């Protein structure tokens, strides 16, 4: 769910990412796809880059990711920070 001015809308991302390990505990993912802003902008291209570091714990990785949304009248940038875990 994203907030644009005072209007809430759903954002759906469809991406294919290619990942590789430049270092034993580090993963880099790069890719793209499309993003659909339901009721607020339509469907347009997206490009993403994600860096993650593996951790020896229940939470097995930390990451930072950047996405560039190519909306024609409302270009957007998104930065994500987080932790991940596997079940």
């Amino acid at each position: 769910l994203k907030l644009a001015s005072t209007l809430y809308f759903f954002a759906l991302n469809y991406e294919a990412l290619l990942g590789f390990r430049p270092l034993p505990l580090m993963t880099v993912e790069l890719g793209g796809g499309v993003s659909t802003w339901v009721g607020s902008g339509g469907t347009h291209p997206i490009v993403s880059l994600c860096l993650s570091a593996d951790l020896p714990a229940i939470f097995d990785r930390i990451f930072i990711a950047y996405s560039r949304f190519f909306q024609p009248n409302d270009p957007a940038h998104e930065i994500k920070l987080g932790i991940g875990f596997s079940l």
Side-chain angles (χ1 to χ4, degrees):
L1 201 56
K2 303 248 183 201
L3 173 64
S5 303
T6 58
L7 173 70
Y8 286 92
F9 62 92
F10 283 100
L12 306 171
N13 295 342
Y14 312 93
E15 296 182 79
L17 301 172
L18 177 63
F20 64 95
R21 288 187 171 270
L23 299 171
L25 297 177
M26 181 182 186
T27 302
V28 177
E29 296 176 328
L30 177 65
V34 295
S35 178
T36 300
W37 292 10
V38 180
S40 182
T43 301
H44 299 284
I46 178 176
V47 174
S48 295
L49 171 68
C50 181
L51 303 173
S52 63
D54 297 343
L55 301 172
I58 293 172
F59 294 103
D60 63 355
R61 64 192 168 276
I62 58 173
F63 66 88
I64 181 169
Y66 168 78
S67 295
R68 170 64 162 97
F69 298 84
F70 294 93
Q71 303 284 8
N73 296 320
D74 191 16
H77 305 270
E78 181 176 78
I79 296 174
K80 297 176 259 187
L81 300 170
I83 55 174
F85 64 92
S86 298
L87 299 175

